[in-house]
Amino acid sequence: MARPDDTGAKPTLNDVARAAGVSLATVDRVLNARAGVRPATIARVQNAIAELGYVRDTAAANLARRRLYEMAFLLPDTDNEFVAALRDAVAEQATGASVHRTRPTVVPVAPFDPQALADAVDALPASLDGVALFGPETPAVRDAVRRARERGIAVVALVSDLPSSERDHFVGIDNVRAGRTAGRLMGRFTRRSGRVVVLTGSRLARDHLERRQGFDQVMAEYPHLEVGASIEGRDDANRVAAMLARVLSEGNDVVGVYSSAAGNAGLIRALRTMPHDVTVIAHELTPTTRAALMDGTFDALIVQDAGHLVRSAIRLLRASADGAAFDPGQERIRIDIHLRENVPLSPEDTP
Amino acid sequence: MARPDDTGAKPTLNDVARAAGVSLATVDRVLNARAGVRPATIARVQNAIAELGYVRDTAAANLARRRLYEMAFLLPDTDNEFVAALRDAVAEQATGASVHRTRPTVVPVAPFDPQALADAVDALPASLDGVALFGPETPAVRDAVRRARERGIAVVALVSDLPSSERDHFVGIDNVRAGRTAGRLMGRFTRRSGRVVVLTGSRLARDHLERRQGFDQVMAEYPHLEVGASIEGRDDANRVAAMLARVLSEGNDVVGVYSSAAGNAGLIRALRTMPHDVTVIAHELTPTTRAALMDGTFDALIVQDAGHLVRSAIRLLRASADGAAFDPGQERIRIDIHLRENVPLSPEDTP
DNA sequence: TTGAAAGCGCTACCAC
DNA sequence: GTGGTAGCGCTTTCAA
């Protein structure tokens, strides 16, 4: 739909005011949906806006308003390295807050505790522009999300979706596809037949379940590989090491390990005691997984870039707060595959 | 280094003027390095700027200046699908030019013709803020780049670096590592021993040479695979199909094909006549390669995201024009590996 | 060589 | 309900 005035100078609020035969102040009122304007006037102004193809200059508006976008990242309070990478990415974006007029802060929330998450959401000040949530969805969380949005706070789900909540966006990967990707690499990388061990964090976490599901879909195409029940490591390195040692000692036929969660330090420890021909696929790029990839302990990493996640969340929260559009192509989080050959050289997490 | 006034309101030009005991206009003069200010005054102002930790509000400056960033993308005038994806990405960014105050345009340049590229650079109007170049580096190009920068035009090299030119940035991937990545996938995906065929575009293109070099480094680790001389397809599907048909007919021992350039349509045609157990690794995500990946003709794609390349080039050109900082983590172009399982679902190039 | 003042496009306050 | 008007932080005439 070509506007009649694509010809050059884009229309300003002044143009709209003139066209509608009202004052600047009135145009501003209808533009910002403020009360106290007669319906007839509203219509006149909206007509003019449509006619002229007016689009508001956010930079000028933010300048006049001295606007500062305040947003909170509710992240589980664990020592999980991936979460640490998210925290670092938030901190990095907070630097130069004045430049972007955006101040993101991290709010730690008790991990694996939906009620704590819901409470944290309710405790958010209404002055906040947006919030990014990383946690499991329960009815309590869903209701808290609804209340937050009613208070005018934009909400995005981070890493793990809240599908039945009315969040504005989901920022993260499709975990079924991530699991499928891991499965494909496992199927093509392994040469011998035998057992494949799957490590998960918690059977309750939606993202872990989805990864397992996708992994199994693809593994079904490789009859030479037999996948056992998930080992629930709870992201705890010691627990992972102990449970895995037991499984590995049960026989010499383990040819692959799919580590779909955290706790990789324990996995690495257990593998040191093994003959080295086990194909290992893990998730996320952290100092631990990166070192394991580089020294050949791990064969591939399935990664969602923490910096990208955080930047995308911020852009989407800002767009939601402004009621503005966004670039879907830019906000699509990719499922990255990292081999030793293509892992980023100096990532944020190894300074 | 913590500034004394991290405490809240960031200093404005007015604060600087007051601190230096001069007028706003004078501060503006030294800030923008305009002539006609006494050295002593300059020093006073710069002191005040440093003291206060002043950082200019680009948004306000652009508003006052009614600034529009104009930038050109000099792209080879071919029907290469990857270049088409770049063109599309530029067009997409041009939409909403008024919102970003940035208008990128594509300037087609005769392909494989360094002199044409150099001439195109020289023909750029000095009013331009920046230019992104995709092409081979020769002395003529290098000199043209220098002249452009002397005329105040920021320059980034796109996809293929211009290492000995004084370009402001390189936006693209490390092609040696990209080749290594392809090599690793080839080595781990193939099961039988035999020959591996390498398809290249031109032996002159720096990026293709580097890919081949990286590929060979890794292939040396796989003694069961024997790599022959590159087939120079010149990105021409018919030529590729013909040359490849000849090679494939020479024996039944071809187990892999590494297509390091364009012309994949020809490769696909040639493969249709073959028994299907050839591992194929190609570059870039286009409608052709995507279809081949999805139907199993190709096994993996090594990709640099066109949207990311273009957005990054624009951000860097804008930063160079403003003399502003940028986020290195955001501008690092990743070497993406796409399998059928993790290829983006609805990319820009298949609408 | 320096300063005063009028804007850029928009918001917000205060009158009428 | 509606309109004037003084800014937001910066740039840019035009005078002095």
Side-chain angles (χ1 to χ4, degrees), chain B residues 94-216:
Chain B
T95 306
S98 61
V99 176
H100 305 291
R101 295 175 186 280
T102 301
R103 181 159 57 205
T105 51
V106 171
V107 176
V109 178
F112 303 111
D113 184 346
Q115 189 55 48
L117 181 58
D119 291 347
V121 172
D122 282 329
L124 260 19
S127 61
L128 214 61
D129 294 288
V131 62
L133 302 184
F134 178 12
E137 175 170 65
T138 63
V141 171
R142 201 187 51 223
D143 292 347
V145 167
R146 192 179 30 67
R147 284 189 294 270
R149 297 204 62 224
E150 281 166 5
R151 291 193 294 150
I153 301 177
V155 179
V156 303
L158 196 66
V159 179
S160 185
D161 199 3
L162 309 173
S164 64
S165 302
E166 301 140 30
R167 82 280 188 286
D168 293 270
H169 299 281
F170 166 55
V171 179
I173 58 175
D174 178 337
N175 280 299
V176 176
R177 301 193 81 218
R180 291 185 58 93
T181 305
R184 183 65 65 196
L185 289 172
M186 184 65 77
R188 296 217 53 169
F189 277 6
T190 49
R191 314 237 132 193
R192 297 182 296 119
S193 43
R195 279 188 297 148
V196 171
V197 176
V198 178
L199 285 172
T200 186
S202 153
R203 283 175 215 273
L204 298 176
R206 163 185 195 85
D207 41 349
H208 296 176
L209 279 177
E210 290 175 343
R211 286 175 187 175
R212 171 76 209 230
Q213 181 191 340
F215 188 74
D216 288 348

Side-chain angles (χ1 to χ4, degrees), chain A residues 42-215:
Chain A
I42 296 186
R44 283 231 308 288
V45 172
Q46 282 177 335
N47 263 1
I49 289 179
E51 295 287 290
L52 298 177
Y54 168 79
V55 37
R56 152 214 245 121
D57 184 328
T58 333
N62 287 343
L63 174 60
R65 204 182 276 199
R66 301 222 236 130
R67 197 188 202 309
L68 181 67
Y69 297 84
E70 306 249 26
M71 33 194 74
F73 279 74
L74 269 47
L75 301 180
D77 190 15
T78 66
D79 52 3
N80 178 321
E81 287 183 322
F82 173 58
V83 176
L86 288 175
R87 274 195 289 262
D88 290 351
V90 173
E92 198 186 314
Q93 292 305 310
T95 307
S98 59
V99 176
H100 304 292
R101 295 176 186 278
T102 302
R103 182 161 54 205
T105 51
V106 171
V107 176
V109 178
F112 301 112
D113 184 347
Q115 189 55 50
L117 181 57
D119 291 346
V121 172
D122 282 329
L124 260 19
S127 62
L128 215 61
D129 293 288
V131 62
L133 302 184
F134 178 11
E137 175 171 64
T138 62
V141 170
R142 201 187 52 222
D143 293 346
V145 167
R146 191 180 29 68
R147 284 190 294 271
R149 298 203 60 224
E150 281 167 5
R151 291 194 293 152
I153 301 176
V155 179
V156 302
L158 195 68
V159 179
S160 185
D161 198 4
L162 309 174
S164 64
S165 303
E166 301 139 30
R167 81 281 186 286
D168 293 87
H169 299 281
F170 166 55
V171 178
I173 58 175
D174 179 336
N175 281 297
V176 176
R177 301 192 82 217
R180 291 184 59 93
T181 305
R184 184 65 65 197
L185 289 172
M186 185 65 78
R188 298 217 54 170
F189 278 6
T190 49
R191 315 236 130 191
R192 297 181 296 117
S193 43
R195 280 188 295 149
V196 171
V197 176
V198 178
L199 284 172
T200 186
S202 152
R203 283 175 214 272
L204 299 177
R206 166 186 194 85
D207 42 348
H208 296 177
L209 279 176
E210 290 175 345
R211 287 176 187 175
R212 170 76 208 233
Q213 181 192 339
F215 188 73

Side-chain angles (χ1 to χ4, degrees), chain B residues 6 31-33 36-37 41 54 102 137 147 156 175 200 210 218 220 227 236 254 260 270 274 287 296 303 309 324 349:
Chain B
D6 273 348
L31 196 66
N32 294 292
V37 186
T41 316
Y54 169 79
T102 301
E137 175 170 65
R147 284 189 294 270
V156 303
N175 280 299
T200 186
E210 290 175 343
V218 174
V227 191
D236 174 339
V254 171
S260 74
M274 289 286 299
V303 173
L309 285 167
D349 44 15

